[in-house]
């Protein structure tokens, strides 16, 4: 069986998810530059060291020397659970050895008087500002109680999570340090297939490791290849630079020493590198990290369509003759940016702001650069005639409001009144129904579309205003880490369910 394996080294376990093919999550200087400034002192971009084309074509040494000091090791610590078995290091885990070779060691039973904190993961990170901001993967820091960052000169700091985003698998950390070595931000849009790149990180805990390869492809969607469903925003840079567990969150740089991606995943039949690795391009990193720093949460814009990639079979079926590729609109969502702009089912979208949208990854990458309220020009074909329209992007709730960390919009849904007939049928006296469920706290907790909330933290709920008032009361009271919505409710089928929704700021 092929597997998806989290590749920040995990002490005691290697998380495994089944899929068709094996992908392992590895524990633009353009018009957007003024909109999303990099976090350097003074808010200015680090100036790039200029090289001649001849020097850049062959000089791996300069690029390596200029970047190793800008990549850090990140260790994740959490309190060990009470159980019968423990492992003294990640290499002692028989499941780890199953994927990465070696003979399983004998499990040793150990009784612990009280839980203790231990290392549960290892990954990499990239310094993006001299005053201590670091970007890494969300899966490197997810679930950590403490994060320890080690610089290339062996200085060690505890790190604070400024914000994280599971959809793009990115996180922003901060350490209390000054005058750090910064890797300048490059333009991932300008890199070309066949161009040399270097991967810098800490594979298997071997610090300051540099490997080389070429860009094998751009705008690669892993989920479409594995048929495993959409795991988030995916528009990866594919390379053949050797990347292994522990490289998660490390740097992918060009030969100028500029950051063009964050190494995230590998394609593998064994759990270790066998040919292809994948990095999140800086076109996405820049926007996401800026949002996390400014708002504590990503401002996610959506176009509001359901679509499929245009194939020869689909084109023949739908009578599309003007174009051979694009995104065929299957449905336009209610209260969406696309509906407002007049986009209709059957349209074939071929470009946004002049950037081709031949596949879903290209669309995701372009839209991910924008915030709700931004305007984009959509080029499409209707009845085999070329059209253009300006679209004002909206958020997942159908408006252009800014979402901030601690905002009720984090719940990721809207609410609608429950009819008297439904209340009578379910034999309940009050409630409000979850509608328009999107990515957010409710979805993460397992709440499904149509769920009727009857009370939150023992307070009756009758409207969306009630939900917001209770949410704000929770956020304003108690310690920062102890903020939970205990929700009681019922599904239209009559099944009564309880949910605990963690709304504490990570």
């Amino acid at each position: 069986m092929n597997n998806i394996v989290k590749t920040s080294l995990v002490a005691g376990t290697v998380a495994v998810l089944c899929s068709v093919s094996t992908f392992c999550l590895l524990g633009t200087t353009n018009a957007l530059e003024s909109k999303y400034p990099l976090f350097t002192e003074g808010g200015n971009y680090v100036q790039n060291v200029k090289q001649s084309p001849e020097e850049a074509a062959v000089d791996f040494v300069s690029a390596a020397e200029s970047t190793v000091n800008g990549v850090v090791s990140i260790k994740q610590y959490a309190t060990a659970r009470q159980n019968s078995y423990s492992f003294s290091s990640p290499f002692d885990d028989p499941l780890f050895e199953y994927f990465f070779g070696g003979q399983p060691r004998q499990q040793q039973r150990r009784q612990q008087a009280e839980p203790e904190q231990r290392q549960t993961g290892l990954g990499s990170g990239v310094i993006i500002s001299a005053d201590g901001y670091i970007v890494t993967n969300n899966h490197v820091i997810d679930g950590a109680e403490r994060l320890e960052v080690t610089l290339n000169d062996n200085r060690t700091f505890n790190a604070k999570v400024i914000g994280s985003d599971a959809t793009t698998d990115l996180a922003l950390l901060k350490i209390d340090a000054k005058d750090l070595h910064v890797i300048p931000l490059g333009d991932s849009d300008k890199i070309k297939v066949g161009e040399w790149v270097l991967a810098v990180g800490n594979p298997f805990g071997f610090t300051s490791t540099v490997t080389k390869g070429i860009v094998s492809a751009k705008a690669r969607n892993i989920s479409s290849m594995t048929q495993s469903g959409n795991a988030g925003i995916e528009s990866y840079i594919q390379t053949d630079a050797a990347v292994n567990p522990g490289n998660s969150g490390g740097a992918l740089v060009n030969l100028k020493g500029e950051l063009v991606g964050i190494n995230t995943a590998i394609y593998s039949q064994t759990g270790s590198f066998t040919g292809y690795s994948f990095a999140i391009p800086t076109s996405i990193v820049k926007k996401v990290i800026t949002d996390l720093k400014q708002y504590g949460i990503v401002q996610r814009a959506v176009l509001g369509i359901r679509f499929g990639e245009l194939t020869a079979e689909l084109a023949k079926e739908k009578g599309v003759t003007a174009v051979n590729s694009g995104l065929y609109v299957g449905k336009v969502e209610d209260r969406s940016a696309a509906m407002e702009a007049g986009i209709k089912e059957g349209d074939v979208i071929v470009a946004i702001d002049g950037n081709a949208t031949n596949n879903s990854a290209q669309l995701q990458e372009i839209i991910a650069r924008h915030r709700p309220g931004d305007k984009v020009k959509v080029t499409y074909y209707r009845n085999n005639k070329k059209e253009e329209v300006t679209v004002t992007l909206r958020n997942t709730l159908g408006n252009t409001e800014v979402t901030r960390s601690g905002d009720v919009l984090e719940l990721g849904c809207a609410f609608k009144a429950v009819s008297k007939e439904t209340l009578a049928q379910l034999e309940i006296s009050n409630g409000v129904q979850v509608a328009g469920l999107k990515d957010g706290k409710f979805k993460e907790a397992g709440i499904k579309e149509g769920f009727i909330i009857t009370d939150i933290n023992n307070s009756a709920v009758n409207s969306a205003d009630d939900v917001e008032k209770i949410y704000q009361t929770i956020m304003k009271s108690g310690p920062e880490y102890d903020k939970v919505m205990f929700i009681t409710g019922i599904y239209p089928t009559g099944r009564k369910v309880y949910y605990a929704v963690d709304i504490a700021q990570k």
Side-chain angles (χ1 to χ4, degrees), residues 95-415:
L95 187 57
F96 178 93
E97 294 180 346
Y98 173 82
F99 284 106
F100 300 107
Q103 297 297 319
R105 303 185 185 186
Q106 184 174 355
Q107 299 171 343
Q108 297 179 353
R109 187 177 299 269
R110 183 178 70 180
Q111 297 294 333
Q112 294 181 337
E114 27 181 90
E116 60 181 19
Q117 203 174 65
R118 66 175 185 179
Q119 184 181 334
T120 55
L122 174 66
S124 304
V126 180
I127 300 172
I128 58 171
S129 75
D131 59 347
Y133 283 97
I134 295 168
V135 63
T136 186
N137 287 136
N138 175 69
H139 76 260
V140 169
I141 59 94
D142 189 35
E145 295 175 7
R146 181 170 68 89
L147 293 168
E148 183 180 278
V149 169
T150 302
L151 306 184
N152 196 41
D153 62 8
N154 290 325
R155 283 185 292 163
T156 300
F157 302 85
N158 285 327
K160 176 183 178 182
V161 178
I162 301 301
S164 61
D165 181 52
T167 302
T168 54
D169 197 14
L170 289 169
L172 180 65
L173 312 181
K174 178 70 168 63
I175 61 173
D176 187 13
K178 295 181 179 180
D179 301 322
L180 299 179
H181 182 88
V182 177
I183 298 180
L185 197 66
D187 188 348
S188 59
D189 287 345
K190 292 182 179 179
I191 63 171
K192 298 178 180 179
V193 173
E195 182 175 336
W196 284 109
V197 286
L198 302 180
V200 188
N202 307 290
F204 302 113
F206 298 122
T207 59
S208 307
T209 297
V210 180
T211 57
K212 69 176 177 65
I214 62 168
V215 175
S216 306
K218 296 179 65 177
R220 183 69 80 195
N221 184 302
I222 292 177
S223 295
S224 65
M225 297 165 64
T226 62
Q227 302 176 1
S228 59
N230 188 359
I233 294 175
E234 295 184 357
S235 184
Y236 294 118
I237 300 168
Q238 178 182 321
T239 81
D240 64 354
V243 170
N244 282 292
N247 272 112
S248 296
L252 185 73
V253 301
N254 60 24
L255 294 191
K256 296 179 183 178
E258 298 170 328
L259 183 71
V260 293
I262 298 296
N263 295 315
T264 300
I266 58 175
Y267 178 88
S268 176
Q269 300 293 336
T270 64
S272 57
F273 178 78
T274 55
Y276 296 111
S277 56
F278 299 86
I280 304 168
T282 52
S283 58
I284 293 177
V285 173
K286 181 189 301 183
K287 190 266 180 183
V288 170
I289 296 305
T290 301
D291 279 356
L292 292 177
K293 185 172 187 288
Q294 187 170 350
Y295 303 105
I297 191 172
V298 176
Q299 305 302 306
R300 186 152 287 120
V302 293
L303 187 56
I305 60 171
R306 297 186 185 183
F307 59 87
E309 295 177 8
L310 188 67
T311 62
E313 293 79 8
L314 183 60
K316 183 177 181 180
E317 177 188 343
K318 301 298 183 181
V320 178
T321 59
V323 289
N324 298 318
S325 61
L327 301 176
Y328 184 88
V329 179
K331 181 181 179 180
V332 177
E333 302 286 357
D334 294 339
R335 298 178 64 243
S336 66
M339 176 173 283
E340 180 188 42
I343 294 174
K344 298 180 179 180
E345 180 180 337
D347 291 346
V348 180
I349 297 175
V350 295
I352 296 178
D353 285 341
N355 299 295
T357 55
N358 297 322
N359 55 53
S360 60
Q362 290 176 326
L363 175 69
Q364 285 184 336
E365 182 175 349
I366 295 166
I367 297 299
R369 304 176 189 182
H370 294 280
R371 293 172 177 163
D374 287 352
K375 297 181 185 297
V376 296
K377 183 175 290 185
V378 177
T379 304
Y380 63 96
Y381 282 81
R382 179 179 296 169
N383 298 324
N384 293 310
K385 293 182 179 179
K386 188 176 182 179
E387 307 279 352
E388 278 191 349
V389 66
T390 298
V391 178
T392 301
L393 297 173
R394 298 185 178 186
N395 61 28
T396 55
L397 298 183
N399 58 56
T400 59
E401 295 179 14
V402 170
T403 304
R404 294 184 181 275
S405 185
D407 194 315
V408 70
L409 292 177
E410 280 190 294
L411 299 181
C413 67
F415 301 97

Side-chain angles (χ1 to χ4, degrees), residues 408-426:
V408 70
L409 292 177
E410 280 190 294
L411 299 181
C413 67
F415 301 97
K416 65 180 182 181
V418 183
S419 67
K420 293 181 180 179
E421 293 76 14
T422 300
L423 291 174
Q425 179 185 354
L426 296 173

